[in-house]
Amino acid sequence: MAEIIQKDGTWTFDGDAVRIVPGRDKGVGLLRQHLGEVVVPLRAVAGVSHEPGRRAGRLRLRLRDGADPLLQVTGGRLPESSDPYLLTVEPDRTGVAEYFVDELRNALLLDQVDPGPSDAYLLPGPAVPISVGAGDGSVTFDGDRVVLDWNWTTEEAKRSGGPREFRLGDVRSVEWTPSRGLENGWLRFTLTGATAAAAPKYDPHTLELFGFKKDPLMALVAAAVAVRIPHPAAPAPAALPLSEARAALAGEPVDHDTLLRRLRELGELHRTGILTAEEFSAAKAAILGRF
């Protein structure tokens, strides 16, 4: 086992996973504090490095693209104080950091972990329910429903429609963008069948962010939603073979072994997040009705 304890946090590697616990130092960002402990399975790790510094070094964990919903929605735009995979290393702990790197690299080599992109999330994302207030409103997500409520800074055109509530099954995508310079950021939900979105300040499915301290917390909400909808790199659901499709259209019976195989395939698509719970239930009922 390898472990490094710093004011910034504690990283522990037990051979199977890296456990990251944020520290209580004032430099630890709100996002890391609210996210809490993160357990990164070895198969989600692409690499690790120790970057020596003049006053302090940095231990950096690099995850496979697409493995973590938080990194997926933030796209490398998190400030360093909010990055859970970056640890500040004091000069007298350089040797410990290098030992940690060696142990993790050896494990990656021995287990032959593929450092390439992942087409499924390998981390569970932030816990729910989760509620955050920032920018021109607040958002609450309980794992099934998203509720957006507005405050006094919200444009009247958006606030006049009242709070917005929608189901997870209606969400096609979620996007978090931080503010930059004079440009505000946003947390945007795109619903199935939606047309082109309005500007964030007028869009009833978007929270506008002004660049304040709590803005990064909105990325936690985005990650909690993203991990529960289909992964953007997931393979498309397999289509029915032509013979089965024709039989279904003609109302002809399909071999029971074939139907059982389809049920197993549907279960796998649901497990990996390609099918929502509603889609899985509807497809399963249709197949069971063919027996």
Side-chain angles (χ1 to χ4, degrees):
M1 187 178 81
E3 182 176 64
I4 179 167
I5 302 173
Q6 297 290 271
K7 294 179 181 178
D8 202 24
T10 299
W11 287 19
T12 305
F13 176 56
D14 61 5
D16 296 318
V18 179
R19 293 182 178 273
I20 298 174
V21 179
R24 298 181 179 179
D25 188 70
K26 63 180 180 180
V28 177
L30 279 178
L31 184 148
R32 290 173 59 195
Q33 295 175 25
H34 282 72
L35 181 61
E37 179 178 317
V38 178
V39 179
V40 183
L42 184 63
R43 64 194 179 104
V45 178
V48 62
S49 63
H50 174 238
E51 305 163 358
R54 204 168 175 185
R55 294 186 176 179
R58 295 190 297 186
L59 196 58
R60 188 186 300 273
L61 190 67
R62 185 167 59 86
L63 273 59
R64 296 170 59 189
D65 290 342
D68 179 23
L70 178 61
L71 296 185
Q72 181 72 31
V73 297
T74 56
R77 294 167 295 185
L78 277 176
E80 289 192 350
S81 63
S82 297
D83 189 345
Y85 307 115
L86 191 65
L87 180 72
T88 301
V89 178
E90 297 166 11
D92 62 344
R93 306 301 286 171
T94 296
V96 178
E98 291 176 348
Y99 174 75
F100 189 96
V101 168
D102 288 341
E103 287 292 294
L104 186 49
R105 284 178 177 171
N106 288 338
L108 290 170
L109 185 62
L110 289 173
D111 282 31
Q112 296 184 333
V113 175
D114 179 6
S118 173
D119 59 7
Y121 292 121
L122 305 179
L123 278 78
V128 293
I130 184 171
S131 183
V132 177
D136 68 349
S138 62
V139 57
T140 299
F141 176 54
D142 63 4
D144 179 57
R145 292 182 180 274
V146 178
V147 179
L148 304 180
D149 205 354
W150 316 114
N151 59 33
W152 66 273
T153 66
T154 312
E155 281 288 328
E156 178 60 27
K158 186 161 66 172
R159 189 171 67 239
S160 62
R164 297 286 170 159
E165 180 176 334
F166 44 91
R167 300 285 297 273
L168 177 67
D170 296 326
V171 178
R172 189 175 73 208
S173 64
V174 59
E175 176 190 4
W176 175 83
T177 297
S179 59
R180 290 183 176 178
L182 299 178
E183 296 184 5
N184 291 337
W186 61 80
L187 173 67
R188 186 194 302 276
F189 297 92
T190 301
L191 305 188
T192 302
T195 56
K201 68 188 303 181
Y202 301 115
D203 185 356
H205 298 117
T206 300
L207 287 165
E208 189 175 28
L209 305 177
F210 305 140
F212 297 140
K213 188 176 181 179
K214 288 188 176 181
D215 281 11
L217 296 182
M218 287 294 183
L220 294 180
V221 180
V225 171
V227 77
R228 290 170 172 82
I229 61 178
H231 192 288
L240 279 171
L242 184 58
S243 59
E244 292 183 35
R246 284 175 174 168
L249 289 172
E252 299 173 4
V254 178
D255 180 73
H256 282 192
D257 289 339
T258 301
L259 292 177
L260 288 171
R261 175 172 56 82
R262 295 300 298 165
L263 279 174
R264 287 193 293 269
E265 291 173 352
L266 284 172
E268 180 64 18
L269 292 173
H270 179 231
R271 187 186 67 79
T272 56
I274 297 173
L275 293 180
T276 65
E278 293 83 359
E279 292 169 335
F280 171 67
S281 297
K284 182 174 72 173
I287 291 179
L288 291 175
R290 303 291 306 285
F291 277 92

